[in-house]
Every structure is written in structure tokens, then in C-alpha cells.
């Protein structure tokens, strides 16, 4: 007999399924206009299945309103970073990353995302987050403010006005570009004192990360004690892991756990004092969820691993892999909650690539890459423990202790040249002390087989995954701004603000 066309079969299958009777759900499909049917069809039916098999309608179970949204960002995560963290975990523990396992188990909708800003095909983090936050591409350096001063209402303000609880947690200052892109309008991402003040006025429910210098009276330029102001508005202020854990779930929380960013994950985990005093990203995420999960109208939050980007800028392999692993642990927290809750959309992505690292081919690539398992600290920690009066032997001993292998005596002398002023380091955005990150990474490549193409952002199309109600709206290729409207559609919040 003649087979029906795939389009006809798709129509009949959808017509027969109760999903199509729900007009509210079908109205939400207007987000993708003429492309909606094709997007749904590609999710529901594999055209290569035999007609004797029952199509997998698992996604249809997710086709309901997203009461909650958890938006996870590994800032500056090139595809090689995701790959190496999975390889690292697989080779060390026999189990890969939670992110990659979601792919392997076919539990998420997956896409590529174009990350450009209004001013460049290579975005910075403020414009990248603003594309999600305001739904419009803005120039690099600004937060939801266009080239001519146009202001776009950030998405957490929209959701707050719709009655939801909202918040952000991060491993960099809470006033930094990525959380701020979901929260505020500012012509400059660098106005972090001012951004802290805007947070006070916005009355968000959970804000946690680093950034003591933007809240403490003795560190702010205007000498305002922002901690006192937040406390006066009813916030519980936490400055240690214990204080965060002891915060109750009936009041808003401001958690600040570092003067600037919080420590890199591997440095924290190898320091007894830091382990006790600084919460992990997963712990912050869990606390934020616990604070907001019982709200009748739900919640929306952003979770960011900001120092994945900082490590990429520094070509710091231990910092990169372990902070990506810390992010991966936060993914598990979000997915575990969403699985039980069944009303939560989880979005997992990055704002842009950075440095494009990867394992380089060679006969010793396996053993070399496995040597990173012996690293106990980041290159940042290592280089900050070298001084102008250190000897070459001391440098070699320190590297042997932290990396499990050392460098040649000539390489150690080269490193010392940066401390005596004989050589200059010009790479790395967050390299305030001008430490020789690039030089050390090149030396380490000989024994860890990891190469880097740069110390800055790239224009890569990036990974994007979604789980839960609203994930069926995702098309295989999107612009970063599309996510703003997808979130509103998934939550059925009218874009009227």
C-alpha cells in the first residue's frame, strides 16, 4: 500500500492527541509563528520510525505552563570546556558530567545559539545577558540600554511584577555583568556600586555571590553601608556558608561571600578554612530554591558560574575544569528539583565562548590530560605564591606540588622574569597583577596536552539545553534574544511591561 506523507501523518497524530485540544497551549505556540508546527513535529516524531512503532510523546507531558524557571549560565564556556569537564570526570570517576548525561539520555531539547551583540559578532557578558534579560541586543559594555539610550525592562523585573519570586546566584560579584543583565538598566557594566543600589530598590528575593567591595561602607566610594540598608529592608545578610545555611526561608536573602569573586572551586576544596566558610554554587542554588519554591505564583532565578569565564581568560586549566564541574553540580540541583516539581523549566547554556581550549592530538594525549587530575590549585593561586625574590628551584618545587610535575629550570627562570620586570604579561582580562598566565599555560601544554587559541571571547554558536515545560518551544537554532520571549511564553506571562 502507499505510505501517507510525513506531513499528513504528523497532522493526524497531533489531531488525535489530546494535547491539541488545549487552546491555551496552542496559543503559546504563536511565539514561533509559522515555524511552530515544524518545531513541535521535530520534537514529537522521528520520520525514520516505522509506523508500527508508537511515537514518543514524552515531550507532550511537558506541554503545560512553567510555574518556575531556572536559567543556568556557565559564563564563557566554549564547547571544548564542556567536553574537557566531561572527559575529566569520565576518566577520573567513570561517570561523565550531568550536562552530557542529559544529552546521552535524550532528556533535554537541544539547540545552538547565536550570541552576537548589537555592536559585535563577539559579545561581552553584559550584552550577552542583556539579550536574555531585555530581549534586545545592546552594545557591548551596557546592561539593557541601547546605543541611543533606549532602556529595556529586564526580565526579572517583569516576572517580579507578575507576582513571582526572583533571584540570582553567582560565583563572581552579584553586581557583575551576567546577573545584572537579568536585573537592571545601566549604561556601563562597571557601575557596580550603583548596581548594588538598584538591587536594594528592586526588592528581589535572593541575591548571592561575591562583591563585598560594592556593599561594605569602608570599600564603597560613597561610604554607604549597603549591608545596613538591606537589613533595614528585611533582608537576612549572610557572609559565611554557615550564615547562609541558617537563613530562614520566610525572608529575602543577601549573601556575599568574597571581596570580589568567590574562590575558584579547586582552591576552595583544597583549603579547610575556605571549605567551611564559602558555599559552593550548588549549595547557593539549593538555598535559593528552598527560599522560593513554595511561593504560590512560582519563581524565576539565574544561576551563574562566572569564573569559568575568568579561568578561560587566564588559560587556567584547573580553574576552568573544576569551576565547570561546580556548575555541573548546580545543574544536578536544578534538574533534581524540576523532576520532582514537574512545573519548572530548566535552561542550561552559556553567553559566549572564550579561549576555545581543547585537548591536542599526540601519542601521550591520554596520560597528559589525566595529569590534570593531580592539580591541587589553580594557576592563579600558584602564581600569586611566587614573588620577585623567589628562586628558580622554589618555583619548580611549587609547581611540582600543585601540578604533580614541574617545569624545566629555564622555564622557571622565564616565569621569574615577569616578577622582576624583565618580561611583560599582556594577556587575560581579569589579570590585575599582570601575572604570567599565558606563559605558564604554554609550559603546561607540554605535559597536559591542552591548547588555547586566545585569552578572550569568541563568536562561537554555543550549546543550549532545556528541560521541563516550555522546552518544546525550543527550535534547533536560535538567537540569544529569543530566550527572553520563550521564557515569557513558557510561563504565560504577558509581555506588557
Amino acid at each position: 500500500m502507499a505510505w501517507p506523507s510525513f506531513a499528513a501523518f504528523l497532522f493526524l497524530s497531533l489531531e488525535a492527541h489530546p494535547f491539541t485540544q488545549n487552546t491555551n497551549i496552542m496559543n503559546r505556540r504563536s511565539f514561533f509563528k509559522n515555524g511552530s508546527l515544524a518545531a513541535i513535529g521535530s520534537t514529537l516524531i522521528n520520520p525514520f520510525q516505522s509506523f508500527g512503532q508508537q511515537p514518543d510523546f514524552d515531550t507532550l507531558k511537558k506541554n503545560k505552563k512553567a510555574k518556575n524557571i531556572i536559567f543556568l549560565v556557565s559564563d564563557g564556556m566554549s564547547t571544548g570546556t564542556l567536553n574537557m569537564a566531561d572527559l575529566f570526570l569520565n576518566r577520573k570517576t567513570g561517570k561523565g558530567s550531568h550536562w552530557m548525561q542529559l544529552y546521552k539520555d535524550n532528556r533535554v531539547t537541544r539547540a545552538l545559539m547565536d550570541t552576537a551583540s548589537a555592536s559585535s559578532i563577539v559579545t561581552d557578558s553584559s550584552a550577552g545577558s542583556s539579550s536574555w534579560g531585555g530581549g534586545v541586543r545592546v552594545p557591548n559594555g551596557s546592561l539593557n540600554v541601547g546605543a541611543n539610550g533606549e532602556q529595556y525592562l529586564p526580565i526579572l523585573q517583569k516576572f517580579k511584577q507578575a507576582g513571582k519570586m526572583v533571584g540570582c546566584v553567582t560565583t563572581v560579584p552579584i553586581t557583575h555583568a551576567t546577573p545584572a543583565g537579568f536585573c537592571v538598566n545601566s549604561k556601563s557594566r562597571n557601575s557596580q556600586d550603583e548596581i548594588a543600589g538598584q538591587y536594594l530598590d528592586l526588592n528581589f528575593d535572593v541575591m548571592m555571590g561575591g562583591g563585598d567591595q560594592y556593599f561594605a561602607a569602608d570599600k564603597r566610594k560613597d561610604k554607604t553601608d549597603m549591608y545596613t540598608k538591606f537589613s533595614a529592608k528585611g533582608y537576612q545578610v549572610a557572609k559565611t556558608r554557615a550564615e547562609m545555611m541558617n537563613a530562614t526561608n520566610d525572608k529575602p536573602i543577601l549573601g556575599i561571600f568574597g571581596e570580589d569573586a568567590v574562590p575558584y572551586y579547586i582552591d576552595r576544596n583544597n583549603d579547610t578554612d575556605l571549605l567551611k566558610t564559602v558555599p559552593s554554587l550548588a549549595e547557593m542554588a539549593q538555598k535559593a530554591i528552598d527560599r522560593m519554591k513554595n511561593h504560590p505564583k512560582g519563581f524565576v532565578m539565574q544561576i551563574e558560574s562566572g569564573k569559568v569565564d575568568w579561568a578561560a581568560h587566564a588559560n587556567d586549566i584547573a580553574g576552568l575544569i573544576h569551576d565547570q564541574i561546580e556548575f555541573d553540580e548546580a545543574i544536578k540541583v536544578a534538574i533534581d528539583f524540576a523532576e520532582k516539581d514537574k512545573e519548572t523549566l530548566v535552561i542550561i547554556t552559556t553567553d559566549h565562548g572564550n579561549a576555545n581550549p581543547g585537548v591536542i592530538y599526540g601519542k601521550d594525549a591520554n596520560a597528559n590530560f589525566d595529569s590534570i587530575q593531580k592539580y591541587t590549585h589553580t594557576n592563579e593561586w600558584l602564581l600569586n605564591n611566587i614573588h620577585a625574590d623567589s628562586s628558580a628551584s622554589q618555583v619548580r618545587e611549587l609547581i611540582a606540588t600543585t601540578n604533580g610535575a614541574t617545569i624545566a629550570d629555564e622555564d622557571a627562570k622565564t616565569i621569574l622574569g615577569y616578577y622582576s620586570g624583565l618580561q611583560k604579561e599582556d594577556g587575560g582580562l581579569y589579570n590585575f597583577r599582570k601575572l604570567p598566565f599565558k606563559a605558564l599555560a604554554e609550559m603546561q601544554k607540554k605535559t597536559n596536552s591542552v591548547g588555547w587559541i586566545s585569552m578572550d571571547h569568541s563568536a562561537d554558536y554555543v550549546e543550549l539545553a532545556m528541560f521541563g515545560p516550555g522546552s518544546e518551544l525550543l527550535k534547533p537554532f536560535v538567537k540569544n534574544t529569543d530566550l527572553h520571549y520563550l521564557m515569557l511564553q513558557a510561563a504565560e506571562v504577558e509581555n506588557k511591561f
Side-chain angles (χ1 to χ4, degrees):
M1 70 177 205
W3 291 106
S5 70
F6 172 63
F9 176 70
L10 172 61
F11 175 79
L12 291 171
S13 298
L14 291 176
E15 187 75 75
H17 202 279
F19 160 63
T20 57
Q21 309 304 316
N22 188 328
T23 56
N24 287 332
I25 291 172
M26 292 309 292
N27 286 338
R28 287 204 288 135
R29 297 304 175 273
S30 63
F31 169 64
F32 283 116
K33 298 181 180 177
N34 294 333
S36 61
L37 185 61
I40 296 169
S42 65
T43 302
L44 300 184
I45 300 174
N46 178 354
F48 298 103
Q49 284 181 315
S50 72
F51 287 95
Q53 292 178 305
Q54 179 67 30
D56 180 8
F57 286 101
D58 183 62
T59 301
L60 294 179
K61 300 174 185 176
K62 305 171 186 175
N63 280 328
K64 59 182 180 180
K65 178 179 177 180
K67 180 181 178 182
N68 312 308
I69 299 174
I70 302 175
F71 194 109
L72 293 121
V73 185
S74 178
D75 197 301
M77 187 201 77
S78 296
T79 303
T81 301
L82 178 62
N83 166 237
M84 288 192 296
D86 186 65
L87 280 176
F88 181 93
L89 288 169
N90 251 314
R91 297 181 69 80
K92 183 176 181 179
T93 68
K95 294 182 179 180
S97 66
H98 298 296
W99 188 338
M100 290 304 299
Q101 196 62 46
L102 290 169
Y103 286 174
K104 294 171 185 176
D105 294 341
N106 196 28
R107 297 178 65 210
V108 291
T109 307
R110 182 184 180 191
L112 288 178
M113 180 171 60
D114 177 355
T115 63
S117 72
S119 58
S120 176
I121 58 174
V122 183
T123 191
D124 79 332
S125 292
S126 57
S129 186
S130 295
S131 69
W132 306 322
V136 178
R137 285 179 169 172
V138 298
N140 288 346
S142 68
L143 293 163
N144 298 304
V145 177
N148 298 313
E150 313 94 329
Q151 295 198 5
Y152 306 101
L153 190 65
I155 198 159
L156 289 193
Q157 293 192 41
K158 291 182 179 181
F159 280 124
K160 186 72 171 177
Q161 290 180 32
K164 293 184 182 294
M165 283 189 168
V166 297
C168 293
V169 299
T170 182
T171 56
V172 295
I174 191 60
T175 51
H176 213 259
T178 302
F182 260 42
C183 301
V184 303
N185 301 96
S186 179
K187 291 181 180 179
S188 174
R189 59 178 286 176
N190 297 322
S191 303
Q192 294 192 66
D193 278 11
E194 177 187 311
I195 290 167
Q198 289 194 53
Y199 288 169
L200 179 69
D201 296 332
L202 289 170
N203 298 313
F204 287 172
D205 300 280
V206 178
M207 302 298 282
M208 292 194 289
D212 177 68
Q213 61 184 310
Y214 307 112
F215 292 85
D218 60 336
K219 296 169 185 173
R220 285 176 55 94
K221 293 177 182 177
D222 62 6
K223 304 304 179 185
T224 300
D225 187 340
M226 297 301 296
Y227 290 123
T228 298
K229 286 183 172 290
F230 272 87
S231 294
K233 291 196 77 170
Y235 280 81
Q236 301 169 90
V237 175
K239 297 183 182 180
T240 67
R241 180 179 179 275
E243 289 174 354
M244 182 197 77
M245 293 296 192
N246 291 330
T248 62
N249 293 326
D250 58 350
K251 294 180 182 179
I253 303 170
L254 174 70
I256 305 296
F257 309 109
E259 180 174 353
D260 193 39
V262 302
Y264 279 109
Y265 200 41
I266 188 172
D267 294 336
R268 168 192 179 269
N269 290 341
N270 284 287
D271 185 307
T272 304
D273 291 335
L274 291 178
L275 198 59
K276 291 178 180 178
T277 58
V278 179
S280 70
L281 185 64
E283 290 171 335
M284 286 190 277
Q286 186 65 64
K287 186 64 179 181
I289 290 171
D290 290 344
R291 162 71 182 115
M292 299 187 288
K293 66 182 180 183
N294 293 322
H295 188 60
K297 292 189 176 181
F299 67 87
V300 179
M301 68 179 298
Q302 182 198 85
I303 300 170
E304 184 209 16
S305 181
K307 292 190 79 172
V308 168
D309 182 66
W310 292 25
H313 279 299
N315 289 183
D316 191 331
I317 189 59
L320 187 85
I321 287 178
H322 286 275
D323 269 54
Q324 182 65 30
I325 290 171
E326 180 180 31
F327 177 74
D328 200 64
E329 292 170 357
I331 290 176
K332 185 177 187 304
V333 168
I335 294 294
D336 284 352
F337 171 76
E339 281 185 319
K340 295 176 183 177
D341 174 71
K342 303 189 188 313
E343 295 184 285
T344 299
L345 170 63
V346 179
I347 302 171
I348 311 168
T349 191
T350 180
D351 49 355
H352 51 75
N354 190 345
N356 294 76
V359 184
I360 307 303
Y361 178 77
K363 65 182 180 67
D364 296 322
N366 286 20
N368 284 352
F369 183 71
D370 288 346
S371 73
I372 301 169
Q373 296 176 22
K374 299 176 182 177
Y375 289 22
T376 59
H377 287 284
T378 60
N379 288 352
E380 179 183 87
W381 183 95
L382 190 161
L383 292 172
N384 273 307
N385 279 278
I386 297 174
H387 308 284
D389 59 356
S390 298
S391 66
S393 62
Q394 288 173 325
V395 170
R396 296 182 72 239
E397 182 179 354
L398 181 63
I399 292 174
T401 301
T402 55
N403 288 182
T406 192
I407 59 177
D409 194 61
E410 285 302 310
D411 285 340
K413 291 176 180 176
T414 298
I415 291 291
L416 285 171
Y418 291 92
Y419 293 83
S420 64
L422 294 176
Q423 303 201 54
K424 303 285 186 184
E425 170 74 15
D426 58 359
L429 180 62
Y430 297 103
N431 188 8
F432 306 113
R433 290 192 59 205
K434 303 300 180 186
L435 299 171
F437 285 119
K438 186 176 182 180
L440 180 56
E442 284 296 317
M443 296 171 188
Q444 288 174 323
K445 183 168 70 172
K446 302 171 188 175
T447 54
N448 66 23
S449 290
V450 174
W452 311 76
I453 70 162
S454 75
M455 301 184 85
D456 217 332
H457 297 181
S458 55
D460 306 26
Y461 297 146
V462 300
E463 288 287 341
L464 168 62
M466 292 189 187
F467 176 92
S471 60
E472 75 284 352
L473 294 171
L474 183 64
K475 293 164 68 176
F477 183 79
V478 297
K479 292 172 61 176
N480 44 14
T481 49
D482 291 339
L483 297 193
H484 178 93
Y485 305 100
L486 189 151
M487 285 187 279
L488 293 172
Q489 286 286 330
E492 296 181 7
V493 172
E494 188 178 353
N495 189 22
K496 63 182 181 179
F497 304 109

